[in-house]
Amino acid sequence: MGIITVPNIKPENRKIKPMETVSIQLKLTRKQRKQDREKSDVKQTLSLSSSVTKVREYKVPGVGIVFHISLGKSGTLWGSDMSGNLVQTDLQGNQLQKIQTSGRDEGYHTVTQDGDLIYTDKRNKVINRTRTDNTITKFIETGDWEPFSVHSSHINGDLLVGMIKEGEPSKVTRYNKTGTEIQNIQRDDKGRGLYRMPHYITENINGDVCVSDWRKHAVVVVDKSGQHRFSYKGQRSGFDPYGICTDVLGHILVCDYISKTVHLLNQDGLFLSLLLTDQQGIDYPYSVCVDDKNNLWVGQLATNTVTVYKYLH
């Protein structure tokens, strides 16, 4: 069984500051309703496979290690390494664009619903946007806070940004599509800091914000209002979480550096299995993401190869 800590919450005692409150309720367009119906149909037909199948491999030129992956539109992917190299490549391994950044081994880039690349610059405390025409603009200034990790919501296009600051508990800040700050998630209902290092960040299908915090040795999950739901601390002893993603069924997939595996959880933090181990040829998985065909993409330490697996059928 996995180790899960769930707070003892008394909702009536929770004091919510205005900035902590955010409305995720959207006026759904006809297109969004259609997409929701399609996702519901997919969920009803998909389930976990009894085995994991390797589908293909890709090389990411211009990087030595793939610490984070962002899948773009039109069959492209972005991969980053420890030296701040952020490279866009097509699926034939041809380099399309290379950006020098201040990022290292964190999940500091993401692709929006419109296909734009968003990446953080912690050195200059800004968040940049790269349009599909390759023009780079300064999108958001973050003041005294260093923007660390970032994720573009598939639900509503919001940006979720993991932030760090000397002498302060780390936080996750939510910005809407225009770059306006609308929510800060920093403390639990007892005033304790939720995060130490929001290394990688993602969002689940129910709006939960899932943070891989290697300094806490935990995956910290809050609901869309910022209320702490649970923390997952791995199996037995030792857990160093890195890359994290979710899928259309609400599973949480997270890389564990210590055991060199990918853990599979349900959306309530229940451990389901070690989805990938050395039996599948995995060696120190660092980055994970799921594509629109429900395949799992994995980047590893000491190689620029991204491996793609099918685990749902």
Side-chain angles (χ1 to χ4, degrees):
M1 294 293 290
I3 304 167
I4 304 174
T5 59
V6 181
N8 182 16
I9 298 168
K10 295 181 179 180
E12 66 274 15
N13 293 332
R14 174 166 166 75
K15 295 180 181 179
I16 302 178
K17 297 177 183 178
M19 184 56 74
E20 290 182 295
T21 306
V22 60
S23 174
I24 310 295
Q25 296 176 350
L26 305 175
K27 295 180 179 178
L28 295 178
T29 64
R30 186 175 301 172
K31 181 180 178 181
Q32 287 171 320
R33 289 194 188 97
K34 181 182 178 183
Q35 289 173 343
D36 287 346
R37 285 196 300 271
E38 289 173 350
K39 287 180 181 178
S40 178
D41 291 342
V42 168
K43 287 178 66 176
Q44 290 173 14
T45 58
L46 280 176
S47 62
L48 285 170
S49 300
S50 57
S51 61
V52 177
T53 305
K54 181 177 173 180
V55 178
R56 62 184 73 90
E57 288 184 344
Y58 298 107
K59 295 284 187 182
V60 182
V63 299
I65 297 169
V66 185
F67 272 132
H68 188 52
I69 309 165
S70 295
L71 290 177
K73 291 190 173 182
S74 305
T76 65
L77 68 90
W78 291 89
S80 55
D81 64 11
M82 178 65 88
S83 302
N85 297 304
L86 177 55
V87 173
Q88 184 188 35
T89 179
D90 63 22
L91 301 187
Q92 286 71 49
N94 301 308
Q95 182 176 309
L96 304 177
Q97 188 179 178
K98 186 173 185 178
I99 304 171
Q100 189 63 42
T101 74
S102 61
R104 291 178 64 82
D105 65 341
E106 64 273 6
Y108 70 90
H109 51 88
T110 186
V111 175
T112 69
Q113 293 170 322
D114 298 326
D116 294 342
L117 172 75
I118 302 288
Y119 67 97
T120 65
D121 180 351
K122 59 189 178 186
R123 185 180 298 131
N124 296 306
K125 299 183 176 64
V126 298
I127 299 170
N128 294 314
R129 181 198 296 271
T130 303
R131 300 283 188 182
T132 51
D133 62 2
N134 297 339
T135 58
I136 300 175
T137 57
K138 186 186 298 182
F139 183 41
I140 298 169
E141 297 183 359
T142 58
D144 295 333
W145 289 84
E146 292 182 26
F148 205 66
S149 53
V150 64
H151 175 73
S152 177
S153 170
H154 299 295
I155 297 174
N156 53 21
D158 288 349
L159 283 184
L160 297 164
V161 185
M163 304 271 213
I164 57 176
K165 181 181 177 182
E166 185 84 24
E168 290 277 352
S170 298
K171 66 177 181 177
V172 172
T173 298
R174 183 187 295 268
Y175 298 90
N176 64 17
K177 288 203 276 191
T178 65
T180 301
E181 181 179 318
I182 56 176
Q183 183 188 28
N184 278 295
I185 304 168
Q186 188 175 22
R187 302 178 186 272
D188 64 15
D189 63 319
K190 293 182 173 60
R192 297 171 300 201
L194 285 166
Y195 314 109
R196 291 186 64 191
M197 181 63 73
H199 209 206
Y200 291 81
I201 185 168
T202 191
E203 184 182 45
N204 215 336
I205 57 172
N206 60 353
D208 283 355
V209 178
C210 309
V211 168
S212 172
D213 190 326
W214 65 266
R215 282 195 178 169
K216 269 203 164 184
H217 303 285
V219 172
V220 181
V221 177
V222 303
D223 66 20
K224 60 189 176 184
S225 70
Q227 184 75 56
H228 182 217
R229 288 198 62 216
F230 62 85
S231 293
Y232 172 75
K233 298 183 178 179
Q235 303 294 297
R236 306 178 190 92
S237 62
F239 181 56
D240 271 354
Y242 280 80
I244 189 169
C245 67
T246 61
D247 65 19
V248 72
L249 298 179
H251 294 125
I252 301 169
L253 302 97
V254 60
C255 299
D256 177 22
Y257 178 82
I258 290 180
S259 64
K260 301 191 289 187
T261 59
V262 175
H263 294 221
L264 179 71
L265 319 176
N266 72 7
Q267 70 179 16
D268 297 316
L270 178 66
F271 173 76
L272 300 178
S273 70
L274 294 178
L275 187 68
L276 293 175
T277 68
D278 56 5
Q279 292 181 346
Q280 285 84 28
I282 286 291
D283 187 22
Y284 291 112
Y286 255 78
S287 54
V288 284
C289 67
V290 174
D291 64 21
D292 56 8
K293 294 182 175 61
N294 306 299
N295 295 316
L296 177 64
W297 297 56
V298 183
Q300 302 174 66
L301 185 66
T303 176
N304 68 343
T305 298
V306 174
T307 311
V308 185
Y309 297 92
K310 183 167 287 296
Y311 70 103
L312 300 177
H313 66 83

